[in-house]
Amino acid sequence: MTHADTSSTPLNVTVDQAETLPQRLRRLRRVRESAMPGSGPGALLRYWRAWRPAAARLNLALQGGGAHGAFTWGVLDALLADERTAFEGLSGSSAGAINAVVMADGWAKGGREGARQALDRFWNELGHQGPHNGIVAQGEGDNTSLSPSSRLLAIWAGHFSPSQLNPLDLNPLRDLLKRQIDFPRLRASSPFKLFVGTTQVHTGKLRIFREHEIDIDVLMASACLPKIHHPVVIDGQPYWDGGYSANPAVFPLFYDCESADVLLVLLSPLLREGTPQTVDEIDARIVELAFSANFMREMRMFAQAIDQSRPALLNLGRLERRLQKLRFHMVDTGGVASLHRTDTKLLAHAPFLDMLKGQGRERAQAWLDTHFVGVGQRSTINLRQCFG
């Protein structure tokens, strides 16, 4: 299996921006030996290129949130358009997992531009699968919401189980993903480490599927809302949406990736102003808390563990050293009104998805302009303030 890195020396030696001086000197010595007189006119150029640090590798933690995943589409588009970025691990549940797998499949076929095109193709086709405006949506921009008929249909459908409402288990999303993603190729040679979260129905345990295990069933299990879809059976066990147990899982990016930089791409606001009053507001907040509780707890654990691992005379072991090197970053979603409307997570409507993409791209570009300089050097968020 090969893992993507967008920059390497002629000796195929890649480095992180956090490369130490001794490591860089050893690398340059190897490059200099290959660039001795007689090795051609490009020797000096190769030596100069080797001195430059490689593109900063990021691990991405992609939150799920139904149609709001189009915001992440925009974030990824901006990151992919910036040649300074490279990626090692992608972790996600539900829409986060779909974005991760679509991006990896596109990169495998055509590099970073292929990844951008794959994300565009997926979300554009998804947005044009349903009925036209006025039937499922009303309003424009941040005021877009489900139409009265759509709300009524959602309430009516809530009185039936998936086996009653959809006995044949028809799912256009499954068909779209099967058409677009080359799962055998991705399993054989994914450009990134992939971590797809699912929830085992019988035990409630989180199961993380890796890149060599991913197929259409794994991806559908990660996005399986039990009131809408039949459970997805894998190896004889039923699975539901990964968001119930991790949205997303961050620990694999720490334990199974070399890069110490983790970029959080969240869809649920960290702070909601006001207390829910109506039945609909209360129900929506309960669902939101259920999908974010495990993530918030995990991030608090990281904040506390990093504090507890501060250097002391006798306790700086391997785990403590890794925790001290860990750097967290986050694309700010505060004030994005469209992500505060929980009912629109069901609104896979092209104009709404395009708007979310634009907002995600704008926020990601702001992060790149302001905070990318910190990648490989330091965390650009206060972890304890955000999650402690």
Side-chain angles (χ1 to χ4, degrees), residues 5 7-9 13-19 23-24 27 50 52-57:
D5 197 314
S7 60
S8 62
T9 71
V13 178
T14 57
V15 295
D16 191 277
Q17 276 196 337
E19 180 183 43
Q23 289 172 331
R24 181 171 295 186
R27 177 168 60 86
R52 297 182 304 167
R57 288 193 302 170

Side-chain angles (χ1 to χ4, degrees), residues 3-7 76-77 79-83 85-87 90 100-121 185-186 189-192:
H3 296 284
D5 197 314
T6 58
S7 60
L76 296 177
D77 188 67
L79 294 176
L80 289 163
D82 194 315
E83 294 287 342
T85 61
F87 310 95
L90 312 180
V101 173
V102 170
M103 173 178 161
D105 178 69
W107 189 297
K109 295 172 180 175
R112 64 173 63 236
E113 191 58 35
R116 295 179 69 190
Q117 293 172 3
L119 287 163
D120 286 350
R121 186 164 59 254
R185 177 176 180 171
L186 194 61
S189 57
S190 173
F192 313 119

Side-chain angles (χ1 to χ4, degrees), residues 153-174:
L153 179 62
I155 294 172
W156 175 79
H159 295 289
F160 300 90
S161 71
S163 60
Q164 294 172 314
L165 198 63
N166 185 11
L168 298 179
D169 197 18
L170 303 177
N171 191 336
L173 178 60
R174 172 185 283 268

Side-chain angles (χ1 to χ4, degrees), residues 174 230 302 310 381:
R174 172 185 283 268
H230 295 237
F302 272 115
R310 287 175 179 168
I381 60 170

Side-chain angles (χ1 to χ4, degrees), residues 132-147:
H132 295 292
N133 194 25
I135 300 177
V136 298
Q138 62 180 5
E140 296 181 353
D142 286 333
N143 294 320
T144 303
S145 63
L146 292 175
S147 66

Side-chain angles (χ1 to χ4, degrees), residues 284-334:
R285 187 57 176 154
I286 288 173
V287 171
E288 192 173 56
L289 291 173
F291 273 94
S292 62
N294 286 309
F295 167 75
M296 296 296 290
R297 188 181 303 114
E298 184 180 14
M299 292 307 301
R300 179 169 182 168
M301 179 276 295
F302 272 115
Q304 293 176 332
I306 291 171
D307 284 347
Q308 292 294 321
S309 66
R310 287 175 179 168
L313 184 61
L314 298 175
N315 73 340
L316 202 60
R318 180 171 178 267
L319 180 61
E320 288 83 3
R321 290 196 301 271
R322 290 195 64 188
L323 283 167
Q324 285 301 306
K325 292 179 181 178
L326 192 57
R327 299 177 290 270
F328 280 99
H329 316 275
M330 184 170 66
V331 174
D332 179 23
T333 57

Side-chain angles (χ1 to χ4, degrees), residues 53 112 127 168 187 228 254 303 361 366 370 387:
R112 64 173 63 236
L168 298 179
R187 288 193 297 272
I228 300 176
F254 172 68
R361 205 178 196 291
T370 306
F387 302 104

